């Protein structure tokens, strides 16, 4: 169900762009309205989601403790698995965000023939996820060539590195192949592992199909149904300088690619893709484990009338002494009138 | 509305917002000149009926593919003659065929390549081996079609 629905949604988007451009000639909608709408939804949506998360108080430190917490000096402290300071937490977060460290520890639990249960390392998900995310980043950064003039040298450098093999003209990019491979793996994984398939919903398949469609249309634009890049860049520069123009004669395949990208950005804040922002706001990751070092006051505590032991003793000292109970301060030391 | 750890969250959001819209800030206020490649060379001007090897739109999008095919045919297969779909015959040579008409690399090729943001020194890498005939020094055996282009 979920698979068919997601697939149909992506095919529908492609058809909408195709018919909208070739049939109805809605160039302005697909070239100008959609990207502006998408960027507003993207930025506004991300800010909304993050601020909304920020409204939840986190009164107590709840990091996952994946190692020995800070203890006596001769007990070895697992600094980055159970950080106790902000600095250590920063390192933990950096490893998480840049290297997906906790995914690296992924295991699978399986029954062997003869009903022996065992745990096994499972690194493929980590490998595909990391490959996919970094390729995505490189592709996004390389696309800055459409949005900058002059193009910053790091973008050109990235382009040269990525096109290192100089195969064909226009040259193939390493990240393009890896991106498609990684996303394909992520899709197949959902389809063939029964447990994962069972818990997969349309909103799990849709982003994967969308990403695959974006990459495919991008690759088609570059190698097969080539478009006039000067016109594409004119469109892109027009958008970011707020003087949008849609030059006539850009191939339909570009509008399909562009529309899918706009959809991705517009959809981003309202979907599981927000894990990109969520990782930074995960209390199980971003808090130092200092529960036993610092006092954490619950922000919604209401004021409670307290009567401390010192006050109690001040109240009842004479009676306590009379009854022969031990007191912290003897009668002579204490001020004569009970202070309250 | 109380935002807990608001300092970190707002700084984070701000950094994200600036990075996500980075091209807007970078290009802000710049006047973007169109690429405007020039077709005015003596040879092209003298043509009665202006035509390139393939129709113009196709040349714009396919010239790199065409050159790559030519390279393979010449270097690997030793073929030098190209017959265009319209029946015209050309010598498969960047230096003597393409540059015979487009003798103004700086006002033609470079205009679009710069606009598209190719790294001038390395991209396209054709020119790390090939020279532009009009840029050859006189006396090096080159027949200069037009005077050396000034920058
Ligand atoms: C989520 C964002 C995007 C992704 C993942 C993506 C992906 C791709 C991929 C994989 C390619 C193949 C060639 C390459 O890697 O450069 C490509 C090409 C292309 N993309 Fe995108 N793209 C994105 C956004 C955009 C945007 C916003 C534009 C609008 C300017 C765009 C315009 C193009 C064009 C014109 C090509 C052909 C490049 C060429 O012929 O050299 N893409 N895209």
């Amino acid at each position: 169900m979920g698979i068919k629905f997601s697939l149909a949604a992506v095919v529908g988007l492609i058809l909408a762009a195709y018919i909208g451009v070739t049939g109805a000639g809605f160039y302005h909608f697909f070239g100008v309205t959609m990207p502006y709408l998408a960027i507003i939804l993207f930025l506004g949506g991300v800010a909304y989601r993050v601020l909304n998360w920020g409204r939840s108080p986190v009164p107590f430190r709840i990091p996952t403790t994946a190692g020995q917490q800070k203890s006596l000096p001769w007990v070895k402290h697992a600094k980055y698995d159970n950080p106790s300071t902000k600095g250590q937490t920063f390192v933990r977060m950096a490893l998480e965000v840049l290297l997906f460290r906790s995914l690296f520890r992924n295991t699978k639990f399986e029954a062997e023939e003869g009903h022996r249960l065992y745990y096994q390392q499972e690194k493929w998900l980590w490998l595909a996820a990391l490959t996919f995310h970094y390729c995505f980043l490189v592709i996004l950064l390389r696309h800055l060539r459409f949005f900058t003039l002059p193009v910053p040298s790091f973008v050109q450098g990235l382009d040269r590195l990525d096109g290192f093999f100089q195969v064909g003209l226009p040259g193939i990019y390493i990240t393009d192949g890896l991106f498609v491979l990684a996303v394909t793996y992520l899709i197949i994984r959902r389809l063939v592992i029964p447990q994962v398939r069972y818990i997969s919903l349309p909103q799990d398949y849709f982003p994967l199909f969308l990403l695959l469609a974006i990459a495919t249309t991008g690759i088609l634009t570059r190698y097969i149904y080539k478009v006039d890049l000067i016109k594409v860049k004119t469109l892109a520069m027009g958008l970011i300088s707020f003087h949008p123009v849609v030059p006539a004669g850009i191939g339909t395949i570009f509008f399909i690619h562009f529309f899918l990208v706009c959809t991705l950005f517009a959809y981003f804040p309202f979907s599981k893709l927000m894990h990109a922002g969520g990782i930074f706001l995960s209390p199980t990751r971003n808090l130092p484990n200092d529960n036993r070092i610092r006092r954490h006051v619950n922000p919604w505590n209401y004021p409670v009338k307290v009567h401390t032991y010192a006050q109690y003793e001040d109240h009842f000292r004479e009676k306590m002494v009379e009854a022969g109970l031990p007191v912290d301060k003897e009668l002579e030391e204490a001020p004569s009138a009970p202070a309250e | 509305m109380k935002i807990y750890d608001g300092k970190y969250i707002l700084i984070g959001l701000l950094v994200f917002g600036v990075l996500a819209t980075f091209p807007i800030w970078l290009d802000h206020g710049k006047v973007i000149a169109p690429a405007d490649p020039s077709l005015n060379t003596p040879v092209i001007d003298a043509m009665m009926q202006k035509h390139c090897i393939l129709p113009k739109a196709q040349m714009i999008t396919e010239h790199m593919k065409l050159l790559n095919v030519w390279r393979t045919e010449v270097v690997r297969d030793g073929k030098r003659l190209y017959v265009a779909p319209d029946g015209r015959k050309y010598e498969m040579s960047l230096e003597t065929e393409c540059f015979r008409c487009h003798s103004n690399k700086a006002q033609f090729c470079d205009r679009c390549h710069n606009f598209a943001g190719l790294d001038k020194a390395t991209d396209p890498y054709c020119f790390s081996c090939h020279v532009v005939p009009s840029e050859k020094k006189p006396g090096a055996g080159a027949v200069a079609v037009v005077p050396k282009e000034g920058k």
Side-chain angles (χ1 to χ4, degrees), chain B residues 99 104 129:
Chain B
F99 281 112
N104 52 344
C129 298

Side-chain angles (χ1 to χ4, degrees), chain A residues 42-43 46-47 50-51 54-57 86 144-145 147-152 154 156 160 166 168-170 223-224 226-228 230 233-234 237 240 242 281 299, chain B residues 1-4 8-10 13 16-17 20-24 26-27 30 32-33 35 60-62 64-65 68 112 114-120 122-123 125-126:
Chain A
F42 177 66
L43 293 177
V46 167
V50 168
L51 292 176
R55 288 170 58 196
S56 314
K86 277 187 186 165
L144 281 177
R145 70 188 158 121
F147 294 93
T148 51
L149 191 74
V151 175
F154 81 90
Q156 291 177 335
R160 199 165 344 131
Q166 295 190 334
L169 263 183
Y223 303 103
I224 315 285
K226 297 178 61 54
V227 301
D228 186 339
I230 301 301
K233 183 150 184 177
T234 306
M237 296 302 288
I240 60 162
F242 303 105
L281 275 87
Chain B
M1 187 173 84
K2 166 130 179 67
I3 305 289
Y4 296 86
Y8 298 109
I9 292 179
L10 291 179
L13 269 182
F16 164 74
T21 51
F22 149 79
I24 297 180
L26 193 76
D27 299 322
K30 277 185 205 160
I32 307 300
I60 292 176
T61 57
E62 306 276 341
M64 62 304 263
K65 276 189 172 177
N68 201 34
C112 285
N114 290 346
F115 186 80
L118 302 188
D119 183 355
K120 219 177 166 202
T122 54
D123 203 7
Y125 58 86
C126 313

Side-chain angles (χ1 to χ4, degrees), chain B:
Chain B
M1 187 173 84
K2 166 130 179 67
I3 305 289
Y4 296 86
D5 288 320
K7 191 176 67 180
Y8 298 109
I9 292 179
L10 291 179
I11 291 175
L13 269 182
L14 203 70
V15 170
F16 164 74
V18 170
L19 283 182
T21 51
F22 149 79
I24 297 180
W25 312 108
L26 193 76
D27 299 322
H28 180 72
K30 277 185 205 160
V31 181
I32 307 300
D36 224 7
S38 161
L39 290 173
N40 297 322
T41 64
V43 179
I44 298 177
D45 285 344
M47 275 174 142
M48 299 298 278
Q49 191 204 354
K50 296 193 189 351
H51 66 86
C52 197
I53 294 167
L54 300 171
K56 184 174 172 183
Q58 221 176 333
M59 282 313 292
I60 292 176
T61 57
E62 306 276 341
H63 64 278
M64 62 304 263
K65 276 189 172 177
L66 184 76
L67 286 169
N68 201 34
V69 170
W70 281 17
R71 198 255 327 250
T72 310
E73 303 242 301
V74 171
V75 176
R76 309 246 163 93
D77 306 338
K79 287 208 290 194
R80 286 231 160 236
L81 194 71
Y82 175 78
V83 185
D86 65 1
R88 288 198 175 88
K89 294 194 175 71
Y90 299 92
E91 192 196 345
M92 292 196 259
S93 164
L94 175 69
E95 287 174 27
T96 56
E97 196 65 88
C98 304
F99 281 112
R100 190 162 53 80
C101 296
H102 298 290
S103 50
N104 52 344
K105 177 168 176 288
Q107 285 83 16
F108 183 69
C109 316
D110 293 352
R111 288 260 170 96
C112 285
H113 290 170
N114 290 346
F115 186 80
L118 302 188
D119 183 355
K120 219 177 166 202
T122 54
D123 203 7
Y125 58 86
C126 313
F127 299 105
S128 40
C129 298
H130 287 274
V131 287
V132 184
S134 63
E135 289 180 358
K136 271 187 201 163
K137 294 207 174 57
V143 187
V145 181
V146 285
K148 191 175 181 265
E149 304 291 347
K151 285 272 151 71

